[in-house]
Amino acid sequence: MKRALYFMLVALLVLSGCKSSRIVDQIQIIHAMGYDVKNGKYTGTAIYPTFKQGPMTKPDILTTESSTTYDLIPRLSSKSALPIEEGQIRLVLFGQQFAKQGIAEIVHSLARNNKVGSHLQLAVSKGDAEELLRITAETTLSDTLYLSNLIEQNIREMNLPKTNLHIFLYNYFGKGRDPFLPYLEKKGDTVKLEGLALFKYGHYVGRIDLRKSFLVKLLLDETKNGVYQLPISQNEKKGRVLLENLFAHSHYSLKKGSSPVIDIHLRIRASIRDYPMWLDLSGQRSFQKVSEQMEKKLNQDITNLLSFFQKKGVDPLGIGDFVRSKTRHWDEEAFYKQYRHLQIRPHVKVDIVQTGIGE
Amino acid sequence: MSIFSFMFKNGKQQQVKTLPQLLQIFKQSSDFATVEFQTNGYHFCISYFDSLIDPKLLQQQVICRLQRDLSSYASLALEDLQQIIPVQRIEVTADVEMIEAKLLKGFAMIQLKGVADHCALVNLASENLGLRPNNDSENEFSVVGPKVGFVENIGTNLHLLRRQIVTPHLVFRELTIGSMSQTKVVIAYIDGIVNEQTLQTVVQRVSEIEFDIMFDTSLFEQILSDNSSSPFPSFVSSERVDKIVYALIEGRVAIFSDGSPYVITGPSTLFDFFTSPEDYYLPWLLGSFFRLIRMIGVMFSILASPIYVAVLTYHYEMLPKDLLGPIIFSRSNVPFPPILEVLFLEITIELLREAGARLPTKVAQTLGIVGGIVIGQASVEAALTSNILLIIVALGALASFTTPIYKMSNTIRFIRFPIILFAACWGGIGIVFAACLLLIHLGKLQSFGSPYLVPLYPFRVKDFADSFIRSPYHLTVKRPSYLRPLTLWRYDPKKAKKKKDIDE
């Protein structure tokens, strides 16, 4: 007993030398990392906060070039006074060109890295990732977390479906589903979220706009937020209403057979936030008519979106995975060969719960 | 062995054999007085220690009575003194050892010329001389409830106890401990509730104590404890009457010692150290809430600064993004690694506490202000520590004082230092490792042979009623089963439930 105690004390002192400490103020904590490819050369951009002036941060940027993606971070270290640590990284941004070439290597590396959390956001930028990061660092934004906060805010409150490294990896490695990422674009001196980037086997293949990404959000999971504009007509007047989603729930069902059919039942409890002055929402019947119009339009939009996915051959909704869960000996290759011709029918039901304060 | 041991040996060698020899030894002392007087033809010789007896008693009850009432006796024997002197239990003896012991306890020896070696021993001890008559239990204060506390006089203490527990089953068993102090020690228990085996363990351990002077019951605590090298106190010690009464009716044993206002009760469990009498005086919801707050406070106090060290040294990944800025900025000018920073502040607070405890109250207040505010603020401004750490350490110190029992709060203050060292060496793994060591130690610890970590280990679901939360009284009608009491029910729950309304 005593011998064991002495042994432990000695081990405590001796072995503690083996562990390298990373004292929090003596490391360079990266908040976001950007990857670009130009003329066959890879560029890595790291954005990190400095805290010398006060608790308010001042962002700084490091960039480096290399012929492979592996040694970008080590090369960044050669430009930095403090060791670079990626444990607090919140965003990995891929330039569109880089995303087209494939992000598999980076994703595999992130998946194995025990320092980064699974709440890490991945995103695609329209131009160079470096350019976007420079906007957040060098303009009045001056916030290293600007882009990741932007994405998180839009997931929480607006039209962006839930994404992060964990969900990306699930979609990436899972059979019968394809990943998607937020798509960012430079607009003057600010950055704007422009929808979703779609991936197939780790390569960027196309994008949809933010309006459509709301439909993806509805179809993917139970959601409690997001807004969607719909055209409306009453007594030969035409206008638009703004639908605010309060709670939406989707249910998939499969009719098996020689030509299988997938029905998507989508129920939206919504409030109408803004509508034209002439729209009469006072009676039960006019209510009914308005929601019927909405359902029709939503059905149409969803059908368009689904046929767009089918044409592109991407499956961000995980329809393949859903069919797999209902089919014995599901064959991925065979399924995606006939995916283009698969019949998918949306059935939207809109319940208008509120129209704001009124009589 | 203590430094007095050589005197102890000498004393044994010079054993007194006869009364004159004894008196010879006593007369070396200037406070040993002998009064000789004649009345009605009898020659009395009264010997006593001036410093021990009450002179008023001697005058009024002994000398005055002897001079006045002696005339009615034709022939006086020593045994007749009981009729004359109105003092209880006058003993007539020739036993030199007994005479020695009694004289040293404040008895007066009355000798009658003609009766050679027999003498009468009259108790004239002034029991409360120099002792405080009451104690407001200021060290274990509670706002609600009685504020009666035990005092240094064991007679008063036993009186206080008997007044609350009115049953013939309350048994006091007296022992004398200490070769030089001859301290009166009383083991109190309630017969028919207390487990026989526990009682036997207590009596055996107490009677086997070899020591010279028993200064306080805290000495008992160390001598009696099952593992004397543990930092955790094995027994609850309290100066509050209600606390001791509650322990007794639950089936524990209390040990009183003359000269000590603190009474120890055992067997105790870890949870007993976090219960305050106020928990029972407040409604159970509030009592439970404050008890939980206290326990969370203890956890915070033990773990806060180790986690600070571990996270800042090794696990920067764990910091929330909004906390990163304030922490890095507050540390950016500090030249030390987190471990030195933490040790510096922790030791500063220890110094403040120690200085505050040693100084007179008035000075200690000033010291608290000077130390707490000035040193804290200055050390942050001098960039010796970060101000976030200052808050963490101060909160940790504050939380450790919420423990109702002082000895436990000392333990809590102590055990965080090894954990801080572990955290500095091994980070989070070190904290977990230290916590494991602590749990193993607590799991092995015993108090009078009963497990210390009960009801967690061994797991006793029913005894959780009064552990983390203080359940309402109808759920605590049964005594804790780990004490193995002879009668399990505290009172009849059916009778208690019966509503005696008018319309019945």
Side-chain angles (χ1 to χ4, degrees):
Chain A
M1 177 61 210
K2 248 185 195 156
R3 203 180 291 169
L5 200 73
Y6 289 137
F7 175 77
M8 273 186 314
L9 282 176
V10 170
L12 175 72
L13 291 172
V14 175
L15 288 180
S16 59
C18 296
K19 182 90 173 74
S20 63
S21 65
R22 295 162 298 164
I23 297 174
V24 71
D25 56 324
Q26 285 160 21
I27 49 175
Q28 204 68 270
I29 291 169
I30 308 181
H31 266 158
M33 184 80 199
Y35 291 98
D36 287 310
V37 60
K38 265 182 231 157
N39 314 325
K41 278 216 150 196
Y42 295 99
T43 315
T45 311
I47 177 166
Y48 59 88
T50 52
F51 298 97
K52 296 297 169 203
Q53 277 82 37
M56 292 292 293
T57 62
K58 193 185 158 302
D60 256 323
I61 276 199
L62 279 176
T63 58
T64 187
E65 274 192 353
S66 169
S67 51
T68 65
T69 55
Y70 305 134
D71 66 342
L72 281 172
I73 289 185
R75 269 171 189 255
L76 286 176
S77 289
S78 63
K79 291 186 175 179
S80 163
L82 296 171
I84 287 193
E85 288 287 344
E86 70 263 40
Q88 281 276 352
I89 198 161
R90 306 279 163 173
L91 175 78
V92 174
L93 191 62
F94 304 106
Q96 194 168 338
Q97 205 56 41
F98 188 92
K100 266 184 192 157
Q101 260 195 26
I103 58 172
E105 274 177 4
I106 304 287
V107 168
H108 272 267
S109 147
L110 285 175
R112 278 180 289 106
N113 193 339
N114 60 352
K115 282 183 193 168
V116 302
S118 56
H119 284 284
L120 168 71
Q121 294 291 348
L122 304 171
V124 175
S125 74
K126 191 183 179 191
D128 283 346
E130 186 186 339
E131 204 179 353
L132 244 64
L133 290 177
R134 280 204 185 280
I135 288 175
T136 62
E138 285 161 9
T139 64
T140 46
L141 294 175
S142 188
D143 185 0
T144 49
L145 293 169
Y146 176 75
L147 291 177
S148 52
N149 285 345
L150 175 99
I151 292 169
E152 267 160 31
Q153 185 268 120
N154 274 287
I155 289 172
R156 217 167 38 240
E157 308 289 343
M158 295 304 286
N159 291 359
L160 200 61
K162 194 167 165 56
T163 72
N164 53 35
L165 179 63
H166 181 84
I167 289 170
F168 181 87
L169 290 175
Y170 180 66
N171 288 336
Y172 178 76
F173 288 111
K175 283 204 166 86
R177 37 177 71 244
D178 288 321
F180 55 88
L181 290 180
Y183 187 82
L184 301 165
E185 202 181 317
K186 180 190 166 189
K187 281 272 156 83
D189 257 2
T190 52
V191 181
K192 186 164 180 287
L193 186 65
E194 277 292 352
L196 287 181
L198 306 172
F199 282 78
K200 183 89 185 162
Y201 306 123
H203 297 276
Y204 171 80
V205 290
R207 54 170 284 238
I208 54 173
D209 62 17
L210 201 56
R211 212 171 103 86
K212 284 181 186 141
S213 77
F214 174 65
L215 298 178
V216 175
K217 185 172 186 160
L218 289 181
L219 293 171
L220 268 177
D221 29 42
E222 282 185 7
T223 50
K224 282 185 181 164
N225 37 47
V227 291
Y228 197 69
Q229 233 183 51
L230 288 163
I232 200 87
S233 63
Q234 197 176 39
N235 305 329
E236 280 146 34
K237 281 182 183 166
K238 284 197 176 173
R240 286 172 173 277
V241 293
L242 188 67
L243 183 93
E244 188 185 10
N245 172 28
L246 297 178
F247 182 76
H249 174 74
S250 60
H251 178 78
Y252 290 62
S253 62
L254 171 70
K255 268 200 197 106
K256 287 183 199 169
S258 52
S259 57
V261 179
I262 291 166
D263 288 297
I264 306 175
H265 294 272
L266 181 64
R267 192 164 174 213
I268 308 173
R269 292 161 71 82
S271 87
I272 295 178
R273 207 194 297 173
D274 290 304
Y275 55 90
M277 299 287 285
W278 44 259
L279 188 68
D280 175 28
L281 286 172
S282 56
Q284 197 66 38
R285 279 191 57 205
S286 55
F287 237 78
Q288 196 78 33
K289 272 187 179 164
V290 168
S291 56
E292 265 167 26
Q293 278 186 40
M294 286 176 167
E295 281 163 12
K296 207 173 146 195
K297 178 65 181 149
L298 274 168
N299 268 330
Q300 200 184 327
D301 285 354
I302 289 174
T303 314
N304 287 343
L305 182 70
L306 288 169
S307 59
F308 173 76
F309 287 155
Q310 283 171 313
K311 223 182 285 165
K312 283 261 179 197
V314 291
D315 189 4
L317 299 178
I319 287 170
D321 195 20
F322 167 70
V323 176
R324 183 197 58 75
S325 71
K326 302 274 179 190
T327 320
R328 190 173 284 224
H329 310 304
W330 180 73
D331 181 9
E332 190 177 5
E333 242 172 79
F335 177 80
Y336 280 107
K337 244 174 217 165
Q338 53 130 19
Y339 175 65
R340 187 184 275 263
H341 309 293
L342 191 69
Q343 204 184 346
I344 309 171
R345 294 185 304 206
H347 309 277
V348 182
K349 175 98 180 65
V350 177
D351 283 341
I352 298 169
V353 183
Q354 320 165 346
T355 58
I357 299 172
E359 288 139 58
Chain B
M1 272 301 201
S2 80
I3 50 164
F4 297 108
S5 56
F6 71 97
M7 287 174 69
F8 179 78
K9 273 177 194 155
N10 284 351
K12 268 264 152 100
Q13 281 161 2
Q14 293 185 353
Q15 230 174 27
V16 188
K17 287 273 151 46
T18 60
L19 195 56
Q21 269 178 350
L22 180 70
L23 294 179
Q24 199 61 42
I25 293 170
F26 280 159
K27 271 174 187 159
Q28 292 174 351
S29 215
S30 57
D31 62 340
F32 187 74
T34 307
V35 179
E36 290 185 41
F37 64 94
Q38 268 186 318
T39 169
N40 273 24
Y42 297 105
H43 191 105
F44 290 102
C45 176
I46 306 178
S47 314
Y48 53 88
F49 274 100
D50 212 6
S51 53
L52 287 174
I53 64 145
D54 189 348
K56 223 182 230 170
L57 277 179
L58 179 68
Q59 280 169 25
Q60 291 174 352
Q61 315 289 26
V62 182
I63 299 177
C64 197
R65 297 281 176 154
L66 283 176
Q67 287 170 343
R68 207 175 54 201
D69 302 338
L70 217 52
S71 50
S72 53
Y73 287 87
S75 69
L76 185 77
L78 274 175
E79 283 77 5
D80 297 327
L81 285 178
Q82 183 72 71
Q83 266 86 50
I84 301 164
I85 300 173
V87 172
Q88 62 171 350
R89 275 196 282 181
I90 294 176
E91 283 180 64
V92 178
T93 181
D95 181 3
V96 180
E97 265 179 49
M98 185 171 170
I99 294 169
E100 178 187 344
K102 294 274 177 183
L103 277 176
L104 285 169
K105 289 256 168 208
F107 280 58
M109 178 177 75
I110 304 178
Q111 285 171 299
L112 194 59
K113 212 159 225 180
V115 185
D117 35 304
H118 277 67
C119 61
L121 293 166
V122 187
N123 185 5
L124 299 176
S126 62
E127 292 225 318
N128 270 326
L129 189 69
L131 298 179
R132 54 180 171 165
N134 53 9
N135 175 4
D136 293 336
S137 65
E138 265 168 15
N139 295 331
E140 287 172 65
F141 189 74
S142 85
V143 180
V144 202
K147 283 158 197 64
V148 188
F150 290 119
V151 293
E152 280 77 2
N153 185 346
I154 194 169
T156 315
N157 293 351
L158 297 180
H159 161 80
L160 287 173
L161 197 63
R162 263 232 195 270
R163 262 185 31 169
Q164 287 247 318
I165 307 178
V166 187
T167 161
H169 298 297
L170 175 64
V171 180
F172 295 144
R173 205 181 274 192
E174 192 180 316
L175 298 162
T176 307
I177 309 291
S179 56
M180 286 195 79
S181 62
Q182 297 292 323
T183 310
K184 184 171 159 189
V185 173
V186 170
I187 299 171
Y189 57 93
I190 299 183
D191 194 31
I193 295 175
V194 73
N195 182 270
E196 293 292 342
Q197 208 180 332
T198 314
L199 180 65
Q200 209 186 330
T201 315
V202 178
V203 173
Q204 190 196 343
R205 283 204 201 162
V206 173
S207 56
E208 278 173 3
I209 290 178
E210 278 294 332
F211 213 71
D212 45 7
I213 294 183
M214 299 309 293
F215 291 100
D216 190 55
T217 41
S218 36
L219 291 179
F220 281 93
E221 204 178 312
Q222 293 167 49
I223 297 167
L224 296 179
S225 76
D226 302 51
N227 179 359
S228 55
S229 45
S230 165
F232 288 90
S234 304
F235 313 109
V236 171
S237 65
S238 175
E239 59 171 0
R240 291 185 63 95
V241 178
D242 48 3
K243 207 159 183 166
I244 302 303
V245 168
Y246 193 75
L248 282 175
I249 59 167
E250 270 189 319
R252 295 176 215 271
V253 180
I255 302 173
F256 292 76
S257 161
D258 199 14
S260 168
Y262 280 87
V263 178
I264 61 176
T265 60
S268 303
T269 70
L270 185 64
F271 289 104
D272 294 337
F273 292 92
F274 302 107
T275 59
S276 151
E278 214 159 77
D279 296 350
Y280 299 94
Y281 297 140
L282 291 174
W284 72 271
L285 209 58
L286 301 182
S288 305
F289 174 69
F290 291 126
R291 192 180 279 185
L292 278 178
I293 291 269
R294 225 175 283 138
M295 292 193 186
I296 293 167
V298 168
M299 294 303 287
F300 179 84
S301 171
I302 295 174
L303 292 176
S305 26
I307 286 177
Y308 177 87
V309 172
V311 168
L312 262 69
T313 323
Y314 297 106
H315 315 294
Y316 71 93
E317 296 97 336
M318 290 182 49
L319 288 168
K321 60 183 175 192
D322 300 323
L323 214 56
L324 199 65
I327 285 185
I328 292 181
F329 175 63
S330 74
R331 256 198 65 80
S332 58
N333 290 323
V334 179
F336 310 120
I339 169 69
L340 287 186
E341 195 189 354
V342 166
L343 282 182
F344 170 74
L345 259 191
E346 287 281 1
I347 288 171
T348 307
I349 294 229
E350 276 323 291
L351 286 178
L352 274 177
R353 191 187 67 92
E354 196 61 24
R358 303 287 155 256
L359 279 173
T361 330
K362 298 268 156 48
V363 190
Q365 269 176 8
T366 326
L367 184 95
I369 294 165
V370 171
I373 299 172
V374 178
I375 295 182
Q377 190 61 33
S379 62
V380 167
E381 266 171 26
L384 286 175
T385 57
S386 68
N387 41 17
I388 288 181
L389 178 68
L390 190 68
I391 296 168
I392 291 178
V393 169
L395 276 182
L398 192 66
S400 76
F401 289 129
T402 56
T403 319
I405 291 178
Y406 182 64
K407 279 181 181 154
M408 196 45 139
S409 84
N410 283 339
T411 307
I412 286 160
R413 307 184 56 71
F414 168 74
I415 57 174
R416 71 173 116 165
F417 283 96
I419 301 182
I420 288 173
L421 289 182
F422 271 101
C425 290
W426 286 350
I429 301 166
I431 295 180
V432 173
F433 186 72
C436 287
L437 285 184
L438 205 64
L439 277 181
I440 293 169
H441 175 70
L442 283 173
K444 280 179 75 178
L445 214 55
Q446 290 188 327
S447 165
F448 284 140
S450 127
Y452 196 61
L453 214 53
V454 81
L456 282 177
Y457 173 83
F459 195 68
R460 297 280 179 270
V461 181
K462 278 178 186 163
D463 296 334
F464 271 103
D466 193 9
S467 58
F468 285 107
I469 55 165
R470 201 281 277 172
S471 306
Y473 285 123
H474 68 88
L475 292 178
T476 52
V477 267
K478 276 189 177 177
R479 301 199 164 90
S481 66
Y482 54 82
L483 293 172
R484 281 171 287 137
L486 298 185
T487 40
L488 208 55
W489 296 93
R490 284 171 59 190
Y491 51 87
D492 189 353
K494 279 180 202 148
K495 255 190 203 168
K497 251 188 187 171
K498 214 179 268 174
K499 295 267 186 296
K500 294 187 184 72
D501 281 346
I502 287 173
D503 52 357
E504 224 179 316

